[in-house]
Amino acid sequence: MEDLLSYTSLNKRRIENICSLVNKLESKYSSLSDYELSKMTDRFRFYLRDGKTIDDIMPDALAVCKEAIKRKIGLVPYDTQVIAAASMSDNIIAQMATGEGKTLVQILSSYLYALEATKDADKSKWGSVHILTANEYLAQRDKVQNEAIFNLLGLSCGYVEDKSNSDKPDYLKKKQKAYSQDIVYATAKTVAFDYLDDNQAFDIRNKYINRELYHAIVDEADDILLDQAVTPLILSGTMPGLDIVGTIDLANYACYFVNGVKGYRNRPVTCTLADQFEKNIDTKFGDSIIFKDTLRTFLSDDLLKEIYGDKDISHDISLQEELFNKESAITNAVLAKYYYKRNKQYILREIGKAIDTDGKVKKVFEVALVSEATGRVMPKTKYRNGMQEAIEAEEAFLADGKYIIKRSTKNIEKSTITYPEFVRLYKTGISGMTGTSDIEDFKDIYGLETYEVDPRIPSARKDEETELYSKKEYKYEAIVRDIYERHKKQQPILVGTISINESDELCSYLDRYKIPYQRLDAINHKDEALKIANAGKKGMITIATNMAGRGTDIKLEKGVEELGGLYVIGVSKNNNKRIDRQLMGRCARQGEPGVTKYYQSLEDELVLTRYGKVKLIAFKKYYEDQKTKITNHRVIDMVDQCQITEEGISKQIRRIENQIHLNVFSVHRDKVFEQRNKILGANYKELIDIIVGIIKEYSITIVEDPTEVDKVRHLIDIDSCYDEDNLKYRNNIMSALFNKFKASKSNMDPKKYLEYIRSRLLDIIDSYWVSHLMYLEDMKSSIMNAGSFGIDTLTRFERDANKLFVSMNNNIRNEMLTYSINPYLEFGSYVINNSIGGDIGHEITH
Ligand code: ADP
Ligand code: MG
């Protein structure tokens, strides 16, 4: 019953109708010359300007685009592809199985959106349509492959490189050029980061994105939009004007120095732990010595000489400071390496996942201090004076890129954004394509409907029943037997695992039996496309983590169909059924044969959490010695329930987290970026207006909020402004501030003044935004860690966050005034106490 009301069933007739109109128009457009065909784009734009809608011109536009595809790459789009593209014209996710040809759907659909984006007679008002792919390789491949089609249609097409190319010459220019095209290929990650970067720019000419973001078409939409929905993209870096002890760069430097990393120091710094403080410190202790009872640390004279060199620095204050900072950082690094111990003074606590700079999703751990008295984690507590940063640097060094250590230097997260927040930037939103949709999630998180496109040829895939074993080891044995049997007759096999660890485990079994295989995952990702191309060959065994090689389809070698097609094995089920379906969908493309089978054991992670932990523990014991598969259906059903439970819980968590981002982070970010952009783009007069505006607004705040009064004492004689009448009081403050401001700028060159004040004001916004984000993140993680959500969780969060936001804005205004009135005040010499309520966190000294 429910299905009758789905978007698909309600719209099927209409969309199939469009498709048959497209087919009828085929001969009309195939008779046009290339030139005539390319002029059709202008004609469609004219119709749209003239009041026609995209629906009116859709059959003709799709027929024209279809013709262009045929002429340029020789493929004739199937009806299913036209249907998918037609459905997508209205912010829809088209669900289409792997191998059905979503790459051509992108082209058809983007053409429709591009017509609208470029319909204006004034070219400067044109927007771009972005085609967002799951990885860099696909963006590049699809751009090269499809550019000629768009050009024939009179549209320009570009490809945006990711950050890894940022040292290459002309990086900025190339990027700006790519963003100025009608159709832009990029990964979602690249565009999101470029957007964050643009909002840190100090010169408007350095912005990457220079055209309106009109619409985005997201390929492999489930991966980008659902799997990574609450994984924030984090733009990090250092900031100018901050005290240098405790910056990541310095902590890293000291850590490499102490560990003897090449290029920093040739050998590790040695250290002796001494029980008691001795007066006569001797270099017999090595490079350094730590006194355990006081934690006083001394560096040997030789080491100090290494750090300070033998230059005379007594007259150079800034060099003195720099070297002093270096010395303290190295002292901290010595303590971090030789004194502080993981699982003693602190633990690594998993706090989620994030996308690392190499584009891989990794686990994130924070260094959480443990009370040595109670053995419990001390929430929100950090070491001071660079010690926290030193421990984190040491842990990051030990992590060696396998996972991420959250670095807590105050100003490292310059900005963050999640995908649900990011896609709001597109004027007409997004649409997308996916092999496996989660209709409820797309609706819930993005408000997008799913259209389920029937496969061109009905699927011939055979899904075999899941096999359940008591122990992991019996499961692996069974999988290896299964692989061996299928491999004997040369059937290609794709084995999906949930993690690199699981791949490792399975591979050690395969090695033991000398079964050959190729591996594909975040570590073994070289030649990804080649490996996928070979995965459908006779006798090939491919061990891949679930996400690896997505977007490239597995073609079967001749003769493989007779062997039963590709055989897909899932080593264990995911905590989300959609990801299982994704793996299963990799075989049996376009009506080919294909078989899938999942394995499970009572020791699997999924079974051991929550539901299973309570319900299945007894069975685990009962079946302990059984090496053959478990056939009891009650147990099998309970194992299935584990997945359903996990899925439900993670959906609920994701929903809350997403709401927090959309209702709070996004709202605050939009306001801050808007203000920043106003300042960035202002000319002299506009800048003065902005400052005058600030004076007006802030004067009101001062009258309304007595706590603000003391904050302007250093600017004006506030007491003599006082008046019983609030309006008069306000006007007095306003004119006092204004006069002070007028006097300050009177003797300055306007141009110099403009540039100077502009960068000061931007600095102020940036540094407050960064700490605001940090507070929000802290507040968010304390809610998320608590794990149980009441009805008012979100309301409370919003209320507290907005309070912080108001207070941040007051501080920004106050500081902006301070600098506008005293433009040459040394940066950082005036700091407002911006602690709010006092419970944000506290620091301890070691
Ligand atoms: P998907 O992204 O849906 O998995 P792809 O776009 O990668 O599928 O296409 C799968 C394969 O089908 C490619 O080799 C492609 O060239 C081929 N293909 C797609 N559309 C057509 C078509 N209309 N006619 C012939 N081959 C097609
Ligand atoms: Mg694809």
Side-chain angles (χ1 to χ4, degrees):
M1 270 320 277
E2 202 180 298
D3 196 45
L4 285 176
L5 291 174
S6 76
Y7 182 85
T8 310
S9 56
L10 289 174
N11 287 276
K12 212 168 162 112
R13 282 272 297 280
R14 182 177 68 85
I15 287 166
E16 285 176 351
N17 205 19
I18 295 171
C19 177
S20 65
L21 287 173
V22 173
N23 288 334
K24 287 202 188 103
L25 290 163
E26 184 172 340
S27 57
K28 176 175 168 190
Y29 293 110
S30 61
S31 62
L32 297 187
S33 70
D34 277 6
Y35 178 75
E36 287 166 328
L37 196 66
S38 76
K39 282 289 139 199
M40 286 307 299
T41 296
D42 273 338
R43 188 168 311 171
F44 292 138
R45 286 173 178 144
F46 173 78
Y47 290 149
L48 290 173
R49 284 203 298 278
D50 205 36
K52 289 210 169 12
T53 66
I54 200 74
D55 282 339
D56 299 332
I57 61 166
M58 196 186 301
D60 286 86
L62 286 173
V64 163
C65 187
K66 206 174 144 181
E67 181 63 27
I69 292 172
K70 196 164 83 187
R71 285 188 198 182
K72 283 299 165 189
I73 57 173
L75 299 179
V76 184
Y78 303 125
D79 284 0
T80 46
Q81 290 169 315
V82 173
I83 285 172
S87 77
M88 283 163 64
S89 70
D90 193 15
N91 298 81
I92 295 295
I93 297 292
Q95 175 178 271
M96 250 188 139
T98 311
E100 290 286 305
K102 290 186 280 290
T103 317
L104 293 193
V105 176
Q106 285 167 13
I107 305 174
L108 292 161
S109 167
S110 61
Y111 183 57
L112 298 178
Y113 282 109
L115 288 175
E116 291 187 277
T118 65
K119 71 174 182 202
D120 209 287
D122 177 359
K123 279 194 174 193
S124 71
K125 296 203 178 116
W126 285 9
S128 296
V129 174
H130 286 189
I131 298 177
L132 305 178
T133 60
N135 62 49
E136 190 73 8
Y137 161 78
L138 292 172
Q140 205 167 357
R141 180 196 77 180
D142 291 352
K143 188 261 184 179
V144 171
Q145 184 185 301
N146 303 330
E147 186 171 27
I149 301 168
F150 289 115
N151 291 346
L152 176 59
L153 291 167
L155 294 172
S156 61
C157 176
Y159 148 68
V160 186
E161 293 184 345
D162 73 0
K163 259 197 154 80
S164 66
N165 296 308
S166 63
D167 336 325
K168 296 205 185 127
D170 293 333
Y171 175 72
L172 173 68
K173 271 206 206 112
K174 265 162 74 185
K175 248 187 156 147
Q176 288 173 330
K177 175 137 189 275
Y179 276 116
S180 67
Q181 311 297 314
D182 304 324
I183 305 285
V184 178
Y185 279 97
T187 66
K189 181 179 142 245
T190 301
V191 184
F193 273 127
D194 286 344
Y195 169 73
L196 292 180
D197 257 336
D198 277 353
N199 283 290
Q200 300 278 329
F202 274 74
D203 186 331
I204 205 157
R205 287 165 302 187
N206 291 341
K207 286 198 175 202
Y208 298 125
I209 304 172
N210 41 27
R211 218 163 122 163
E212 177 181 67
L213 302 176
Y214 185 78
H215 190 83
I217 291 171
V218 185
D219 196 5
E220 304 280 345
D222 60 333
D223 177 21
I224 299 171
L225 301 179
L226 299 184
D227 297 342
Q228 302 175 38
V230 289
T231 319
L233 295 139
I234 298 167
L235 182 76
S236 54
T238 47
M239 294 210 126
L242 289 159
D243 62 338
I244 189 168
V245 186
T247 62
I248 292 205
D249 286 346
L250 187 67
N252 281 345
Y253 163 82
C255 168
Y256 300 153
F257 182 89
V258 168
N259 279 291
V261 173
K262 272 216 180 67
Y264 295 85
R265 194 171 193 260
N266 290 334
R267 56 190 177 82
V269 170
T270 56
C271 179
T272 308
L273 286 172
D275 281 326
Q276 276 194 344
F277 185 77
E278 290 172 44
K279 272 230 169 65
N280 301 316
I281 304 147
D282 203 277
T283 42
K284 75 175 183 214
F285 291 113
D287 296 324
S288 60
I289 177 168
I290 300 171
F291 295 105
K292 281 193 287 192
D293 53 349
T294 59
L295 285 193
R296 290 189 66 172
T297 309
F298 290 92
L299 306 183
S300 73
D301 288 349
D302 287 343
L303 193 57
L304 286 174
K305 212 175 265 166
E306 229 176 282
I307 296 169
Y308 282 91
D310 36 19
K311 271 184 287 198
D312 176 18
I313 53 166
S314 52
H315 300 294
D316 188 339
I317 296 179
S318 74
L319 187 62
Q320 260 176 32
E321 205 169 314
E322 186 193 315
L323 293 174
F324 175 72
N325 282 326
K326 229 163 124 178
E327 185 195 329
S328 358
I330 287 171
T331 310
N332 284 339
V334 167
L335 278 162
K337 183 173 164 67
Y338 291 107
Y339 178 77
Y340 287 95
K341 293 269 171 287
R342 187 195 302 169
N343 298 333
K344 187 156 182 271
Q345 290 97 346
Y346 66 91
I347 57 159
L348 292 188
R349 180 160 64 170
E350 190 176 337
I351 51 171
K353 292 199 172 98
I355 301 163
D356 204 356
T357 42
D358 59 8
K360 305 270 150 35
V361 175
K362 295 177 187 170
K363 284 187 179 170
V364 183
F365 294 92
E366 72 176 355
V367 170
L369 304 198
V370 175
S371 154
E372 285 183 66
T374 64
R376 302 251 293 267
V377 168
M378 299 187 281
K380 293 184 199 166
T381 306
K382 289 193 164 126
Y383 291 117
R384 271 180 62 191
N385 298 334
M387 198 58 236
Q388 181 81 15
E389 290 80 358
I391 293 173
E392 285 163 359
E394 177 70 18
E395 280 295 342
F397 176 73
L398 298 173
D400 199 23
K402 289 191 197 66
Y403 45 88
I404 300 172
I405 299 292
K406 185 175 157 72
R407 310 294 291 265
S408 69
T409 294
K410 304 167 194 97
N411 302 287
I412 192 59
E413 282 182 18
K414 285 173 133 183
S415 226
T416 67
I417 197 165
T418 60
Y419 284 124
E421 298 173 84
F422 164 67
V423 301
R424 291 167 36 262
L425 300 173
Y426 290 92
K427 185 177 175 198
T428 61
I430 57 165
S431 49
M433 296 156 301
T434 179
T436 40
S437 185
D438 184 322
I439 297 174
E440 192 184 293
D441 271 0
F442 273 118
K443 183 106 191 82
D444 240 34
I445 303 179
Y446 298 92
L448 295 168
E449 302 279 359
T450 298
Y451 187 90
E452 297 157 88
V453 183
D454 292 330
R456 203 167 57 86
I457 305 167
S459 170
R461 195 179 77 201
K462 209 173 138 245
D463 300 325
E464 294 191 345
E465 232 175 83
T466 302
E467 287 191 13
L468 178 65
Y469 290 86
S470 59
K471 287 189 167 169
K472 265 193 189 171
E473 100 182 69
Y474 304 146
K475 177 177 90 168
Y476 281 123
E477 295 283 356
I479 294 174
V480 172
R481 275 198 304 276
D482 194 2
I483 291 178
Y484 180 79
E485 288 302 321
R486 299 269 179 174
H487 181 63
K488 223 164 51 182
K489 54 170 198 167
Q490 294 288 291
Q491 185 172 15
I493 305 168
L494 172 71
V495 188
T497 65
I498 54 170
S499 65
I500 293 179
N501 272 347
E502 197 172 79
S503 287
D504 283 344
E505 278 172 19
L506 177 67
C507 287
S508 71
Y509 279 86
L510 291 173
D511 290 342
R512 206 176 301 160
Y513 293 97
K514 304 219 161 36
I515 300 175
Y517 55 85
Q518 60 170 357
R519 266 185 85 158
L520 194 56
D521 50 52
I523 295 171
N524 306 281
H525 61 107
K526 240 182 102 206
D527 305 321
E528 177 168 312
L530 182 73
K531 283 180 184 166
I532 288 291
N534 287 333
K537 291 208 169 129
K538 279 188 191 165
M540 184 56 84
I541 300 171
T542 307
I543 316 294
T545 47
N546 281 308
M547 287 304 135
R550 282 187 67 159
T552 327
D553 68 354
I554 299 177
K555 291 203 171 78
L556 300 186
E557 190 182 15
K558 228 170 109 340
V560 168
E561 289 205 21
E562 288 73 32
L563 301 172
L566 182 68
Y567 183 46
V568 171
I569 295 177
V571 175
S572 41
K573 290 193 177 171
N574 279 277
N575 48 17
N576 185 331
K577 189 137 192 72
R578 179 172 48 76
I579 300 178
D580 293 345
R581 282 192 279 129
Q582 175 75 41
L583 176 68
M584 291 155 75
R586 299 213 62 156
C587 72
R589 318 150 46 242
Q590 311 230 12
E592 288 169 354
V595 186
T596 71
K597 183 186 240 166
Y598 262 92
Y599 284 85
Q600 288 268 78
S601 87
L602 294 180
E603 290 180 340
D604 288 354
E605 215 175 301
L606 178 64
V607 178
L608 289 180
T609 39
R610 284 181 264 253
Y611 179 88
K613 203 167 163 184
V614 183
K615 301 269 182 182
L616 279 154
I617 225 66
F619 290 102
K620 208 175 145 219
K621 192 110 197 92
Y622 179 79
Y623 284 110
E624 206 168 40
D625 299 322
Q626 178 170 333
K627 293 188 177 173
T628 52
K629 67 179 175 195
I630 298 171
T631 49
N632 180 340
H633 270 273
R634 240 184 85 210
V635 180
I636 292 173
D637 287 349
M638 280 164 127
V639 170
D640 285 345
Q641 188 59 41
C642 294
Q643 190 180 38
I644 298 167
T645 309
E646 282 306 302
E647 212 173 294
I649 291 169
S650 62
K651 269 187 189 184
Q652 195 206 357
I653 293 175
R654 201 153 67 176
R655 213 165 283 162
I656 292 273
E657 204 167 348
N658 188 43
Q659 287 298 320
I660 286 177
H661 277 278
L662 289 180
N663 295 4
V664 179
F665 283 68
S666 267
V667 176
H668 293 186
R669 180 188 314 101
D670 286 352
K671 286 187 182 147
V672 169
F673 284 6
E674 188 192 315
Q675 191 187 15
R676 199 184 186 283
N677 279 322
K678 231 165 90 186
I679 293 170
L680 188 65
N683 60 27
Y684 184 71
K685 193 184 158 299
E686 286 161 348
L687 194 69
I688 302 287
D689 285 347
I690 289 171
I691 295 170
V692 171
I694 291 171
I695 291 178
K696 280 188 188 155
E697 269 184 56
Y698 194 49
S699 306
I700 298 171
T701 308
I702 296 168
V703 173
E704 284 171 356
D705 180 356
T707 64
E708 294 289 324
V709 169
D710 283 336
K711 296 189 194 166
V712 286
R713 244 176 240 294
H714 65 294
L715 295 176
I716 50 172
D717 180 1
I718 183 81
D719 297 327
S720 70
C721 293
Y722 187 74
D723 197 294
E724 303 242 312
D725 176 2
N726 272 352
L727 198 65
K728 277 190 191 149
Y729 182 28
R730 190 183 83 196
N731 284 339
N732 291 344
I733 298 173
M734 215 144 67
S735 48
L737 284 170
F738 187 69
N739 287 334
K740 192 86 191 274
F741 170 57
K742 228 166 70 183
S744 76
K745 74 178 173 69
S746 64
N747 53 1
M748 267 184 280
D749 168 39
K751 210 169 159 220
K752 239 171 103 185
Y753 174 79
L754 174 72
E755 286 321 315
Y756 195 78
I757 290 292
R758 191 206 307 281
S759 58
R760 274 288 160 92
L761 299 190
L762 295 177
D763 263 343
I764 293 166
I765 292 179
D766 292 349
S767 52
Y768 275 102
W769 170 235
V770 156
S771 41
H772 183 65
L773 261 184
M774 198 180 66
Y775 290 140
L776 290 186
E777 291 287 352
D778 271 2
M779 281 169 58
K780 188 185 97 182
S781 53
S782 65
I783 290 186
M784 301 315 292
N785 287 343
S788 62
F789 313 111
I791 339 165
D792 62 341
T793 302
L794 203 61
T795 333
R796 266 208 338 261
F797 184 90
E798 260 185 78
R799 195 192 52 214
D800 293 350
N802 288 342
K803 236 194 260 169
L804 271 174
F805 189 69
V806 168
S807 148
M808 171 185 82
N809 277 322
N810 286 342
N811 285 339
I812 286 180
R813 269 183 253 160
N814 183 306
E815 203 155 325
M816 280 183 169
L817 278 184
T818 306
Y819 281 111
S820 307
I821 289 173
N822 309 307
Y824 292 108
L825 200 67
E826 197 186 324
F827 190 77
S829 62
Y830 171 72
V831 180
I832 299 169
N833 172 13
N834 60 355
S835 63
I836 295 113
D839 68 340
I840 298 300
H842 58 279
E843 300 179 319
I844 58 170
T845 12
H846 66 256

